[in-house]
Amino acid sequence: MITIDKVSKHYGSFQVLTDCSTHVNKGEVVVVCGPSGSGKSTLIKCVNGLEPFQDGQIHVNGTSVGAPKTNLSRLRSHVGMVFQHFELFPHMTIRDNLTLAQVKVLKRDKDEAAEKGLYFLDRVGLKAHAHKFPGQLSGGQQQRVAIARALAMDPICMLFDEPTSALDPEMINEVLDVMTELAQEGMTMMCVTHEMGFAKRVAHRVIFMDHGKIVEDDSKEAFFANPRSERAQQFLAKILQH
Amino acid sequence: MEYQWNWGVFLLPSAVNDGTYLDWMIAGLQTTLLLSLSAWVIALLLGAVVGVLRTVPHRGLAFGATAYVEMFRNIPLLVQLFFWYFVLPELLPAVAGNAFKALNPVAQQFVAAMVCLGLFTSARVAEQVRSGINALPRGQKNAGLALGLTLPQTYRHVMLPMAFRLVVPPLTSEFLNVFKNSAVCSTIGLLELAAQGRQLVDYTAQPYESFVAVTVAYLMINVVVMLLMRKVEVLVRVPGYLGGK
């Protein structure tokens, strides 16, 4: 579904990604973790072309992301993305947040889009809030709306960029529950997250990054039981203390 | 010498018998309103476009927009006005130049003043719009793009609605400035409010009454603008955000 092949990226002389290669198969859940500044968010943003990269290739469902001829808008319209800071559109009601791209990008008619949007809003347990504005919801609720907004586009895969990092601890689980459910339904997912509990429960594979390189890329069992690199061992030791 | 106040002066027939002096003031007020409002429309439209262009990821466009802004906001308004009125008609191709000069003098003054004031203000509006766009969280643009919206769609539906809301207060200042700056246009002979006030002094030797009337008229215009913009601020308020409930 997603293949990342020898991708490198630099800002001027600063190397952000070095020779990153990995893949995500259909129906697979891959968690990307690593210390801050290790390039994991950059890598996931390269997948739908939000960040350009200089070397290497990324293919999503057979389409090359970096190729100049690629219609990035079309590609992105079926690659769902969820952001750290939710990024709902604050001047629109929840309903309009859910329907905007369906109408403008997929050219669905308004009623169909609203029906679809409300269906997913119901699935994340927020149907009663359709008429509200994002600012009137809690962080956890906003993030669930953001997931519903992405799902309403019928994505072939979902990218999560630290979806719980900006949340109060008590709201993290409501978001992780939605993500877990999604994974169990077979959605292809690439998640940048520090939630190792989620990784243990849900992920098929774990990628560990450090200094712009993919240091480990292993099944979750192998990763948690026996990380090969010293850097990953240190990281796990620090993160799992709690 | 004691100053002889005479508020009745406004009701006297004018020296050239074209109504009362009050009619002069009203005519001046109308010109000021018409000039400023049409300049404001130009400023908002052009300013929005130029402000957006300053933020787009295209070097040529962004450079052009920056050059536009710097040119119009760094040359004194008076100099710009003289350029539009005295110099440009001579530089234009003969057809256009002559067409301009064939207009009646009042229309020439009005068009030059409107274009001048509109472009001058558009550079300032552009800066406000740019600052509004830059004040948005970076992720908003990404969120729009990630949903498959094109960059223009993302500007139109995601970024600009919030950017404009953010800059309503500074735009109010610019709106007020248009009316105040329009007084400069009396220097090319346009009989707007300030010019009519000065003319009244020349004809009646009642300067205090005249300047009080002009001052009150400008104040009234700007009170109305302020109230209007406050209404706009309330109307576009976003619930749960930016001072909304």
PDB file of all heavy atoms in Angstrom, chain A residues 1-19:
ATOM      1  N   MET A   1       0.836  -1.211   0.000  1.00  0.00           N
ATOM      2  CA  MET A   1       0.000   0.000   0.000  1.00  0.00           C
ATOM      3  C   MET A   1       0.871   1.263   0.000  1.00  0.00           C
ATOM      4  O   MET A   1       0.771   2.108  -0.866  1.00  0.00           O
ATOM      5  CB  MET A   1      -0.898  -0.027   1.235  1.00  0.00           C
ATOM      6  CG  MET A   1      -1.801   1.172   1.379  1.00  0.00           C
ATOM      7  SD  MET A   1      -3.118   1.251   0.159  1.00  0.00           S
ATOM      8  CE  MET A   1      -4.196  -0.062   0.719  1.00  0.00           C
ATOM      9  N   ILE A   2       1.776   1.339   1.000  1.00  0.00           N
ATOM     10  CA  ILE A   2       2.729   2.451   1.036  1.00  0.00           C
ATOM     11  C   ILE A   2       4.136   1.869   0.962  1.00  0.00           C
ATOM     12  O   ILE A   2       4.481   1.005   1.770  1.00  0.00           O
ATOM     13  CB  ILE A   2       2.600   3.252   2.352  1.00  0.00           C
ATOM     14  CG1 ILE A   2       1.189   3.774   2.531  1.00  0.00           C
ATOM     15  CG2 ILE A   2       3.631   4.391   2.392  1.00  0.00           C
ATOM     16  CD1 ILE A   2       0.931   4.406   3.890  1.00  0.00           C
ATOM     17  N   THR A   3       4.929   2.317  -0.006  1.00  0.00           N
ATOM     18  CA  THR A   3       6.335   1.931   0.019  1.00  0.00           C
ATOM     19  C   THR A   3       7.192   3.184   0.028  1.00  0.00           C
ATOM     20  O   THR A   3       6.955   4.117  -0.724  1.00  0.00           O
ATOM     21  CB  THR A   3       6.731   1.089  -1.213  1.00  0.00           C
ATOM     22  OG1 THR A   3       6.348   1.807  -2.381  1.00  0.00           O
ATOM     23  CG2 THR A   3       6.067  -0.260  -1.212  1.00  0.00           C
ATOM     24  N   ILE A   4       8.140   3.167   0.921  1.00  0.00           N
ATOM     25  CA  ILE A   4       9.068   4.285   1.060  1.00  0.00           C
ATOM     26  C   ILE A   4      10.439   3.728   0.717  1.00  0.00           C
ATOM     27  O   ILE A   4      10.883   2.757   1.327  1.00  0.00           O
ATOM     28  CB  ILE A   4       9.039   4.838   2.505  1.00  0.00           C
ATOM     29  CG1 ILE A   4       7.617   5.308   2.844  1.00  0.00           C
ATOM     30  CG2 ILE A   4      10.056   5.961   2.678  1.00  0.00           C
ATOM     31  CD1 ILE A   4       7.437   5.735   4.283  1.00  0.00           C
ATOM     32  N   ASP A   5      11.063   4.317  -0.291  1.00  0.00           N
ATOM     33  CA  ASP A   5      12.286   3.725  -0.816  1.00  0.00           C
ATOM     34  C   ASP A   5      13.422   4.740  -0.810  1.00  0.00           C
ATOM     35  O   ASP A   5      13.416   5.684  -1.588  1.00  0.00           O
ATOM     36  CB  ASP A   5      12.000   3.210  -2.236  1.00  0.00           C
ATOM     37  CG  ASP A   5      13.170   2.426  -2.790  1.00  0.00           C
ATOM     38  OD1 ASP A   5      13.965   1.894  -1.976  1.00  0.00           O
ATOM     39  OD2 ASP A   5      13.299   2.363  -4.023  1.00  0.00           O
ATOM     40  N   LYS A   6      14.377   4.541   0.084  1.00  0.00           N
ATOM     41  CA  LYS A   6      15.594   5.366   0.149  1.00  0.00           C
ATOM     42  C   LYS A   6      15.299   6.859   0.112  1.00  0.00           C
ATOM     43  O   LYS A   6      15.879   7.622  -0.667  1.00  0.00           O
ATOM     44  CB  LYS A   6      16.537   5.021  -1.013  1.00  0.00           C
ATOM     45  CG  LYS A   6      17.046   3.580  -0.987  1.00  0.00           C
ATOM     46  CD  LYS A   6      18.331   3.469  -1.794  1.00  0.00           C
ATOM     47  CE  LYS A   6      18.935   2.093  -1.724  1.00  0.00           C
ATOM     48  NZ  LYS A   6      18.149   1.093  -2.515  1.00  0.00           N
ATOM     49  N   VAL A   7      14.386   7.305   0.982  1.00  0.00           N
ATOM     50  CA  VAL A   7      13.992   8.707   0.983  1.00  0.00           C
ATOM     51  C   VAL A   7      14.940   9.538   1.843  1.00  0.00           C
ATOM     52  O   VAL A   7      15.243   9.179   2.981  1.00  0.00           O
ATOM     53  CB  VAL A   7      12.546   8.864   1.495  1.00  0.00           C
ATOM     54  CG1 VAL A   7      12.238  10.320   1.826  1.00  0.00           C
ATOM     55  CG2 VAL A   7      11.581   8.341   0.453  1.00  0.00           C
ATOM     56  N   SER A   8      15.437  10.625   1.267  1.00  0.00           N
ATOM     57  CA  SER A   8      16.273  11.571   2.011  1.00  0.00           C
ATOM     58  C   SER A   8      15.701  12.960   1.836  1.00  0.00           C
ATOM     59  O   SER A   8      15.131  13.287   0.796  1.00  0.00           O
ATOM     60  CB  SER A   8      17.714  11.560   1.500  1.00  0.00           C
ATOM     61  OG  SER A   8      18.282  10.297   1.737  1.00  0.00           O
ATOM     62  N   LYS A   9      15.864  13.748   2.873  1.00  0.00           N
ATOM     63  CA  LYS A   9      15.374  15.128   2.810  1.00  0.00           C
ATOM     64  C   LYS A   9      16.303  16.003   3.623  1.00  0.00           C
ATOM     65  O   LYS A   9      16.769  15.622   4.682  1.00  0.00           O
ATOM     66  CB  LYS A   9      13.964  15.203   3.401  1.00  0.00           C
ATOM     67  CG  LYS A   9      13.427  16.629   3.497  1.00  0.00           C
ATOM     68  CD  LYS A   9      12.057  16.638   4.147  1.00  0.00           C
ATOM     69  CE  LYS A   9      11.589  18.058   4.395  1.00  0.00           C
ATOM     70  NZ  LYS A   9      11.312  18.828   3.188  1.00  0.00           N
ATOM     71  N   HIS A  10      16.600  17.176   3.095  1.00  0.00           N
ATOM     72  CA  HIS A  10      17.389  18.121   3.882  1.00  0.00           C
ATOM     73  C   HIS A  10      16.854  19.524   3.708  1.00  0.00           C
ATOM     74  O   HIS A  10      16.321  19.884   2.659  1.00  0.00           O
ATOM     75  CB  HIS A  10      18.867  18.054   3.510  1.00  0.00           C
ATOM     76  CG  HIS A  10      19.126  18.216   2.038  1.00  0.00           C
ATOM     77  ND1 HIS A  10      19.190  19.438   1.441  1.00  0.00           N
ATOM     78  CD2 HIS A  10      19.298  17.302   1.056  1.00  0.00           C
ATOM     79  CE1 HIS A  10      19.406  19.282   0.135  1.00  0.00           C
ATOM     80  NE2 HIS A  10      19.471  17.994  -0.122  1.00  0.00           N
ATOM     81  N   TYR A  11      16.957  20.306   4.768  1.00  0.00           N
ATOM     82  CA  TYR A  11      16.719  21.743   4.685  1.00  0.00           C
ATOM     83  C   TYR A  11      18.088  22.392   4.608  1.00  0.00           C
ATOM     84  O   TYR A  11      18.801  22.441   5.602  1.00  0.00           O
ATOM     85  CB  TYR A  11      16.019  22.279   5.933  1.00  0.00           C
ATOM     86  CG  TYR A  11      14.650  21.719   6.211  1.00  0.00           C
ATOM     87  CD1 TYR A  11      14.435  20.889   7.300  1.00  0.00           C
ATOM     88  CD2 TYR A  11      13.566  22.069   5.408  1.00  0.00           C
ATOM     89  CE1 TYR A  11      13.164  20.399   7.580  1.00  0.00           C
ATOM     90  CE2 TYR A  11      12.310  21.580   5.677  1.00  0.00           C
ATOM     91  CZ  TYR A  11      12.108  20.748   6.769  1.00  0.00           C
ATOM     92  OH  TYR A  11      10.865  20.271   7.041  1.00  0.00           O
ATOM     93  N   GLY A  12      18.472  22.885   3.451  1.00  0.00           N
ATOM     94  CA  GLY A  12      19.811  23.433   3.320  1.00  0.00           C
ATOM     95  C   GLY A  12      20.827  22.343   3.627  1.00  0.00           C
ATOM     96  O   GLY A  12      20.793  21.269   3.037  1.00  0.00           O
ATOM     97  N   SER A  13      21.684  22.600   4.604  1.00  0.00           N
ATOM     98  CA  SER A  13      22.699  21.597   4.910  1.00  0.00           C
ATOM     99  C   SER A  13      22.240  20.669   6.032  1.00  0.00           C
ATOM    100  O   SER A  13      22.945  19.750   6.412  1.00  0.00           O
ATOM    101  CB  SER A  13      24.005  22.296   5.318  1.00  0.00           C
ATOM    102  OG  SER A  13      23.780  23.019   6.506  1.00  0.00           O
ATOM    103  N   PHE A  14      21.023  20.920   6.560  1.00  0.00           N
ATOM    104  CA  PHE A  14      20.554  20.117   7.679  1.00  0.00           C
ATOM    105  C   PHE A  14      19.793  18.899   7.177  1.00  0.00           C
ATOM    106  O   PHE A  14      18.759  19.017   6.521  1.00  0.00           O
ATOM    107  CB  PHE A  14      19.673  20.953   8.604  1.00  0.00           C
ATOM    108  CG  PHE A  14      19.168  20.194   9.798  1.00  0.00           C
ATOM    109  CD1 PHE A  14      20.043  19.753  10.766  1.00  0.00           C
ATOM    110  CD2 PHE A  14      17.816  19.911   9.928  1.00  0.00           C
ATOM    111  CE1 PHE A  14      19.586  19.048  11.868  1.00  0.00           C
ATOM    112  CE2 PHE A  14      17.346  19.200  11.028  1.00  0.00           C
ATOM    113  CZ  PHE A  14      18.242  18.767  11.996  1.00  0.00           C
ATOM    114  N   GLN A  15      20.340  17.734   7.471  1.00  0.00           N
ATOM    115  CA  GLN A  15      19.756  16.486   6.994  1.00  0.00           C
ATOM    116  C   GLN A  15      18.629  16.063   7.930  1.00  0.00           C
ATOM    117  O   GLN A  15      18.835  15.834   9.106  1.00  0.00           O
ATOM    118  CB  GLN A  15      20.849  15.413   6.950  1.00  0.00           C
ATOM    119  CG  GLN A  15      20.481  14.179   6.164  1.00  0.00           C
ATOM    120  CD  GLN A  15      20.579  14.413   4.646  1.00  0.00           C
ATOM    121  OE1 GLN A  15      21.243  15.324   4.205  1.00  0.00           O
ATOM    122  NE2 GLN A  15      19.889  13.585   3.876  1.00  0.00           N
ATOM    123  N   VAL A  16      17.385  15.992   7.418  1.00  0.00           N
ATOM    124  CA  VAL A  16      16.250  15.606   8.261  1.00  0.00           C
ATOM    125  C   VAL A  16      15.957  14.123   8.137  1.00  0.00           C
ATOM    126  O   VAL A  16      15.641  13.449   9.116  1.00  0.00           O
ATOM    127  CB  VAL A  16      14.973  16.372   7.868  1.00  0.00           C
ATOM    128  CG1 VAL A  16      14.053  16.469   9.064  1.00  0.00           C
ATOM    129  CG2 VAL A  16      15.298  17.742   7.337  1.00  0.00           C
ATOM    130  N   LEU A  17      16.038  13.626   6.905  1.00  0.00           N
ATOM    131  CA  LEU A  17      15.800  12.201   6.690  1.00  0.00           C
ATOM    132  C   LEU A  17      16.958  11.647   5.876  1.00  0.00           C
ATOM    133  O   LEU A  17      17.407  12.273   4.914  1.00  0.00           O
ATOM    134  CB  LEU A  17      14.498  11.969   5.906  1.00  0.00           C
ATOM    135  CG  LEU A  17      13.192  12.392   6.582  1.00  0.00           C
ATOM    136  CD1 LEU A  17      12.029  12.216   5.608  1.00  0.00           C
ATOM    137  CD2 LEU A  17      12.952  11.595   7.852  1.00  0.00           C
ATOM    138  N   THR A  18      17.453  10.482   6.279  1.00  0.00           N
ATOM    139  CA  THR A  18      18.564   9.877   5.555  1.00  0.00           C
ATOM    140  C   THR A  18      18.193   8.467   5.137  1.00  0.00           C
ATOM    141  O   THR A  18      17.988   7.602   6.000  1.00  0.00           O
ATOM    142  CB  THR A  18      19.832   9.823   6.442  1.00  0.00           C
ATOM    143  OG1 THR A  18      20.023  11.129   7.005  1.00  0.00           O
ATOM    144  CG2 THR A  18      21.054   9.458   5.635  1.00  0.00           C
ATOM    145  N   ASP A  19      18.019   8.276   3.835  1.00  0.00           N
ATOM    146  CA  ASP A  19      17.929   6.929   3.299  1.00  0.00           C
ATOM    147  C   ASP A  19      16.869   6.073   3.985  1.00  0.00           C
ATOM    148  O   ASP A  19      17.137   4.935   4.362  1.00  0.00           O
ATOM    149  CB  ASP A  19      19.309   6.266   3.494  1.00  0.00           C
ATOM    150  CG  ASP A  19      19.752   5.613   2.194  1.00  0.00           C
ATOM    151  OD1 ASP A  19      19.070   5.830   1.176  1.00  0.00           O
ATOM    152  OD2 ASP A  19      20.759   4.899   2.220  1.00  0.00           O
TER     153      ASP A  19
END
